[in-house]
Amino acid sequence: MSTSPTTAAPPAATVRTPRTGMLALFGIAAVAVMLVAPFGVYPVFLMKVMCFALFACAFNLLLGYTGLLSFGHAMFFGGAAYICAHTIKVLGFSPEIGILAGVAFAAFLGLLAGLLAIRRQGIYFAMVTLALAQMFFFFCLQAPFTGGEDGLQGVPRRPLFGLIDISKDINLYYVVLAIFVFGFLVIYRTIHSPFGHVLKAIRENEPRAISLGYRANQYKLLAFVLSAALTGLAGSTKVLVFQLASLTDVAWQMSGEVVLMTLVGGMGTILGPIVGAAIIVTMQNYLAGLGEWVLVIQGVIFVAAVSLFRRGIVGEIIAIVSYYRSGKQQP
Amino acid sequence: MDTVSDVPYIVEATGLTKEFKGFAAVKNVDLRIRRNTIHALIGPNGAGKTTCFNLITKFLEPTRGTIRLNGRDITRTPPADVARLGMVRSFQISATFPHLTVVDNVRIALQRPMGNSFHFWKSESSLDSLNERAMALLADVDLTTYADHLAVELPYGRKRALEIATTLALDPEMLLLDEPTSGMGREDIARTADLIRRVSKNRTILMVEHNLSVVADLSDTITVLARGEILTEGPYAEVSKNPQVIEAYMGTGGAH
């Protein structure tokens, strides 16, 4: 077929996607703020936010960009935490080896769980992941190396790469920031890669993607493994921050919490999970004095999010902005 | 007709049967489609046309029977691999990727043969080399001005055009169109029929279609299905005079 003159101009396919330049600028500004933030805010709190933000971003890769609702992501978060803690505390390795071990374990567990779960769709997929996570929870409860109810406490903060002293919170803060930025960039690139385009197509219309020759399950499996590995990165990093891996990390509530963070912030948006994680962690920290009532407040927020602003906070902001922008463009 | 019958068959389905819990949606259907022809599958509602489609493209597993594509047995081949062998289908309800732009819809199809679809570490700008071909395909179906719109925003007829452009992006040898003109106005129907005729060059097309004037106009061969079985097969002039066909269509305002 011949290319007619009308097709000579390059298509402005970027109109709908947020301008990369603006996004990069925003990213640099955000990192700059994060660099000075520990001088104003308690660094451990910020590190906790970043761990959960990375967790939620990794989860969102699956829910928002692949359309798979996993209800068992705690097994990757907590599983990686146990392996990381065990590698450092019991086997005596340095922190970077511990993190790598945690990530590798989460990826492997993701491969196994993914192979079983991706054959099912929708609610059945969620149920299979929940069931697997529950099995893993009881395994962790019984297995001797996890420390049972006590967990693995007092994980030492040995120097990173034998050089960086992370026993000081402020030093560790910058390490965690670097890990978070790295994880975020991996997710961002994945979403905006040839692979990410196929994922979105599968999310939008799986039978059609198959009819174009895409073996959809293989793409979903890779997305699942990537999501699990990055969740493992978040879980391992959390071990360095709190020097602790416990049953809380593998419990089903943790799987639920990450769903909450992602939905409140806005699933399928790049920044939504970060905002969601920041809100939920802030609430847990500052309302801790209210005890069990925190859970009630979380429940109310969840109900409000689902019924009032279904796109999540960031999703609603994007919708409003693009509404005004398209309103201006129309003649 | 003699010249056409010399051409080998591209698709040969023999004894195709699909049973859903005791109910046979398709019974013992033998369907052979000649290369480079337009073959229509017609019949009243519930005759098993779409089931046949799903069986041939392997979106459904046949209970019994075999399917060959270019002489190769594809009875147990998964649907994505059937597409890779050059047989691509459309769907009854317009099959676009609603929240991707029109140009991205076509690019997804063009991207597959590039072999980078698992590369999650590469930038999406590696797909920019496809833009020119994508735009040419869109120009072919008069969608150039819609390139940056989300597919979901397109009017219905345009969605079907986009679907055909996406399918053509794979340059398939065999095209299966499930009711390509359903729900369209007269103008869109004429445009689509014209498009089908144009793309049928050097291609084989099997289509399910309700609009009998489109069928009469385009098809070389027509297979009439009723209650999951083949009633008759032949060119339109022959089929439309068959008393059984007229009876099957009674009350549905069909053949005459």
Side-chain angles (χ1 to χ4, degrees):
Chain A
M1 92 199 42
S2 65
T3 312
S4 62
T6 47
T7 66
T14 47
V15 169
R16 294 259 165 202
T17 54
R19 275 136 224 179
T20 331
M22 250 178 69
L23 215 65
L25 217 65
F26 178 77
I28 292 166
V31 171
V33 170
M34 290 306 282
L35 283 174
V36 295
F39 299 102
V41 190
Y42 183 45
V44 173
F45 165 72
L46 289 173
M47 287 191 278
K48 186 178 176 190
V49 169
M50 283 193 284
C51 288
F52 280 98
L54 183 56
F55 184 15
C57 285
F59 176 78
N60 186 42
L61 179 63
L62 209 53
L63 178 62
Y65 293 93
T66 320
L68 292 173
L69 171 59
S70 160
F71 212 83
H73 256 47
M75 68 179 141
F76 309 125
F77 189 76
Y82 275 127
I83 295 298
C84 177
H86 190 79
T87 308
I88 296 171
K89 188 187 176 190
V90 181
L91 303 180
F93 283 101
S94 56
E96 66 275 10
I97 301 291
I99 288 177
L100 282 178
V103 171
F105 175 77
F108 177 68
L109 193 61
L111 182 67
L112 292 184
L115 280 171
L116 288 169
I118 50 155
R119 295 162 179 281
R120 297 282 170 268
Q121 314 251 339
I123 190 72
Y124 301 103
F125 175 85
M127 288 297 116
V128 172
T129 50
L130 175 61
L132 292 172
Q134 284 303 93
M135 281 165 57
F136 188 72
F137 173 83
F138 286 108
F139 167 77
C140 290
L141 184 63
Q142 299 297 332
F145 82 97
T146 60
E149 303 275 358
D150 299 331
L152 289 168
Q153 299 179 8
V155 178
R157 285 186 190 170
R158 295 202 192 87
L160 190 72
F161 302 116
L163 292 167
I164 306 163
D165 175 20
I166 55 170
S167 60
K168 290 198 193 88
D169 281 345
I170 191 75
N171 291 2
L172 182 63
Y173 173 85
Y174 290 106
V175 171
V176 173
L177 179 61
I179 290 173
F180 171 75
V181 170
F182 167 77
F184 179 78
L185 288 178
V186 169
I187 290 166
Y188 183 85
R189 175 41 76 83
T190 303
I191 291 165
H192 295 278
S193 71
F195 173 68
H197 279 245
V198 179
L199 280 188
K200 276 173 247 177
I202 291 171
R203 176 196 69 187
E204 291 287 306
N205 192 338
E206 185 171 339
R208 182 50 169 166
I210 293 172
S211 83
L212 295 178
Y214 289 107
R215 295 167 183 140
N217 280 353
Q218 296 180 0
Y219 292 86
K220 289 188 196 171
L221 183 60
L222 178 55
F224 197 90
V225 172
L226 283 172
S227 175
L230 288 157
T231 299
L233 181 61
S236 304
T237 308
K238 210 208 91 170
V239 168
L240 292 187
V241 177
F242 292 100
Q243 301 179 272
L244 166 76
S246 72
L247 283 173
T248 320
D249 301 332
V250 277
W252 66 268
Q253 289 94 333
M254 187 61 83
S255 300
E257 223 159 73
V258 77
V259 178
L260 180 67
M261 289 171 183
T262 309
L263 291 185
V264 166
M267 74 167 190
T269 63
I270 302 273
L271 298 175
I274 301 175
V275 173
I279 290 172
I280 301 295
V281 172
T282 308
M283 246 174 46
Q284 286 171 349
N285 265 38
Y286 287 89
L287 302 180
L290 298 176
E292 294 290 301
W293 283 98
V294 174
L295 294 175
V296 176
I297 296 169
Q298 266 186 23
V300 170
I301 288 187
F302 187 67
V303 171
V306 170
S307 50
L308 296 176
F309 47 106
R310 299 181 62 173
R311 297 185 188 97
I313 292 166
V314 173
E316 291 295 338
I317 292 172
I318 290 173
I320 292 165
V321 168
S322 64
Y323 174 79
Y324 280 109
R325 202 179 276 164
S326 68
K328 271 184 220 150
Q329 275 173 357
Q330 262 149 27
Chain B
M1 278 320 285
D2 283 337
T3 51
V4 183
S5 55
D6 291 334
V7 182
Y9 298 103
I10 183 165
V11 170
E12 292 172 274
T14 30
L16 214 51
T17 302
K18 180 66 188 177
E19 284 165 5
F20 297 104
K21 293 192 177 142
F23 161 72
V26 169
K27 274 174 277 184
N28 214 17
V29 163
D30 293 320
L31 196 61
R32 294 197 290 181
I33 297 154
R34 287 194 199 91
R35 191 181 303 281
N36 295 342
T37 62
I38 299 183
H39 193 126
L41 207 54
I42 66 168
N45 286 332
K49 303 182 297 286
T50 298
T51 308
C52 260
F53 242 60
N54 285 334
L55 289 172
I56 291 171
T57 51
K58 299 309 317 304
F59 274 71
L60 280 177
E61 283 287 315
T63 314
R64 275 186 298 283
T66 57
I67 308 159
R68 288 175 171 278
L69 176 64
N70 280 324
R72 173 182 180 154
D73 192 339
I74 58 161
T75 315
R76 299 283 161 235
T77 308
D81 295 13
V82 169
R84 285 156 183 252
L85 292 172
M87 177 154 75
V88 180
R89 65 169 298 177
S90 75
F91 292 83
Q92 206 171 92
I93 303 150
S94 79
T96 58
F97 302 110
H99 294 97
L100 300 185
T101 62
V102 167
V103 70
D104 276 347
N105 264 267
V106 179
R107 284 210 309 184
I108 282 291
L110 290 172
Q111 183 190 333
R112 211 235 319 126
M114 283 180 88
N116 64 1
S117 296
F118 282 107
H119 295 181
F120 61 86
W121 57 90
K122 271 199 191 130
S123 160
E124 59 193 336
S125 60
S126 58
L127 297 172
D128 284 350
S129 60
L130 300 173
N131 288 351
E132 201 174 307
R133 269 181 69 207
M135 290 308 284
L137 281 159
L138 290 181
D140 244 16
V141 295
D142 290 331
L143 282 175
T144 309
T145 48
Y146 291 97
D148 299 324
H149 287 67
L150 295 183
V152 68
E153 296 167 351
L154 292 182
Y156 183 78
R158 300 292 175 144
K159 274 186 196 158
R160 303 305 305 252
L162 173 59
E163 194 187 332
I164 291 175
T166 308
T167 307
L168 288 178
L170 296 176
D171 196 14
E173 192 183 357
M174 168 97 206
L175 204 57
L176 288 91
L177 304 172
D178 199 352
E179 300 193 19
T181 69
S182 75
M184 282 188 185
R186 195 176 296 163
E187 204 179 305
D188 278 337
I189 289 178
R191 204 204 321 245
T192 307
D194 197 50
L195 182 64
I196 293 171
R197 196 191 332 261
R198 253 192 306 138
V199 304
S200 68
K201 225 176 163 188
N202 300 321
R203 282 204 182 88
T204 313
I205 293 181
L206 173 66
M207 62 176 183
V208 168
E209 184 53 62
H210 275 302
N211 188 320
L212 290 178
S213 68
V214 172
V215 170
D217 197 24
L218 290 177
S219 2
D220 302 296
T221 314
I222 295 165
T223 299
V224 186
L225 279 179
R227 284 179 233 96
E229 289 173 288
I230 292 184
L231 215 53
T232 184
E233 194 174 282
Y236 185 77
E238 220 171 85
V239 164
S240 61
K241 290 198 187 76
N242 186 315
Q244 277 181 295
V245 176
I246 296 169
E247 199 201 314
Y249 264 93
M250 283 282 262
T252 58
H256 42 80

